[in-house]
Amino acid sequence: ENMVRVEGGTFTMGATPEQGSDADADEKPAQRVTLSDYYIGRYEVTQEEWEAVMGSNPSVFKGAKRPVEKVTWYDCQEFIKRLNQLTGLRFRLPTEAEWEYAARGGSQSRGYKYSGSNTIGDVAWYRNNSGSINPVGQKQPNELGLYDMSGNVYEWCQDWHSNKYYSSSPQTNPIGPSLGSFRVLRGGSWSNLASYCRVSNRSNNFPSDRYYYIGLRLSL
């Protein structure tokens, strides 16, 4: 079973104390957010999974069990549309709040700085240890049994990005701003320093951007 059930709950999203001086301005002020139950992928979407649905593999660092990369936010929407037609299910990208709650370990959270540990090398492929993208699921999982939420590839979220989101965000099942120029990316990648792989770190790109360090994880 590659989808993990996340029991909903209330958590503090953003610059919580364990993030320390690494926390950026767009992670403040920390917000209390309440989420309903949902499912999230145990692993990042792999190249073989993408190819099975799309018939092609855009990735630079080829490998069946490596996460797919060089996919735009729009590519991900097309992948999800086709996957839902094939399966009859309703997959989607996680919201930014869902992503962070899951990365923090949900209701099982132990308050780690990275997803599953305060020692980044235990849970993440990042600049200092990666060489390049690595097959999914090789590092330790977090409290919910999710792998690679810190490092390996950045993961697209559904939301538009806003620096002001945290001072004005709705408190229950937030879906982000209604408009924007950039879509949210979470988790850091194999080419990033540790501070980018923190559970609260926020990044963003144009939804049409395509890079060898951006992939996705499904939600349901």
Side-chain angles (χ1 to χ4, degrees):
E1 176 52 76
N2 280 346
M3 299 300 287
V4 174
R5 184 173 176 271
V6 182
E7 186 183 328
T10 301
F11 78 111
T12 303
M13 182 174 178
T16 45
E18 81 287 341
Q19 300 299 308
S21 59
D22 283 341
D24 298 318
D26 69 355
E27 298 166 37
K28 301 169 186 173
Q31 288 284 315
R32 295 294 283 169
V33 174
T34 300
L35 295 174
S36 306
D37 298 352
Y38 59 100
Y39 288 83
I40 197 164
R42 189 178 296 280
Y43 308 106
E44 293 160 336
V45 172
T46 63
Q47 294 177 30
E48 64 183 358
E49 289 167 340
W50 184 275
E51 199 162 342
V53 173
M54 301 294 277
S56 59
N57 179 6
S59 308
V60 174
F61 297 98
K62 294 284 196 279
K65 301 289 186 196
R66 284 175 164 174
V68 70
E69 22 89 3
K70 282 212 95 170
V71 290
T72 68
W73 187 90
Y74 298 116
D75 293 339
C76 295
Q77 300 299 327
E78 179 62 25
F79 169 78
I80 288 167
K81 190 176 104 181
R82 294 191 195 182
L83 182 63
N84 288 346
Q85 286 167 347
L86 288 168
T87 61
L89 297 171
R90 292 174 62 184
F91 290 104
R92 55 180 175 79
L93 291 177
T95 67
E96 186 176 13
E98 287 171 343
W99 192 98
E100 185 171 322
Y101 182 60
R104 287 176 176 274
S107 61
Q108 313 296 311
S109 178
R110 297 190 196 122
Y112 294 129
K113 185 170 188 173
Y114 310 104
S115 186
S117 181
N118 288 324
T119 306
I120 187 170
D122 291 348
V123 292
W125 296 110
Y126 72 117
R127 182 177 291 182
N128 294 9
N129 70 1
S130 64
S132 74
I133 289 178
N134 287 276
V136 301
Q138 292 191 330
K139 291 290 186 178
Q140 293 172 21
N142 79 349
E143 299 94 320
L144 294 175
L146 307 175
Y147 292 85
D148 300 304
M149 291 201 77
S150 291
N152 219 8
V153 289
Y154 265 113
E155 301 171 16
W156 286 114
C157 292
Q158 184 63 29
D159 308 23
W160 290 111
H161 178 268
S162 166
N163 286 332
K164 304 228 168 27
Y165 174 42
Y166 282 34
S167 51
S168 63
S169 74
Q171 301 301 295
T172 303
N173 294 322
I175 56 171
S178 53
L179 291 169
S181 302
F182 305 100
R183 294 288 183 176
V184 172
L185 292 166
R186 285 301 198 117
S189 81
W190 64 272
S191 66
N192 288 108
L193 296 170
S195 63
Y196 291 91
C197 302
R198 297 175 295 107
V199 289
S200 63
N201 188 69
R202 309 174 70 208
S203 300
N204 59 86
N205 273 109
F206 289 115
S208 55
D209 283 342
R210 183 178 274 122
Y211 291 111
Y212 53 78
Y213 49 78
I214 300 177
L216 73 155
R217 182 183 305 262
L218 293 171
S219 186
L220 182 64

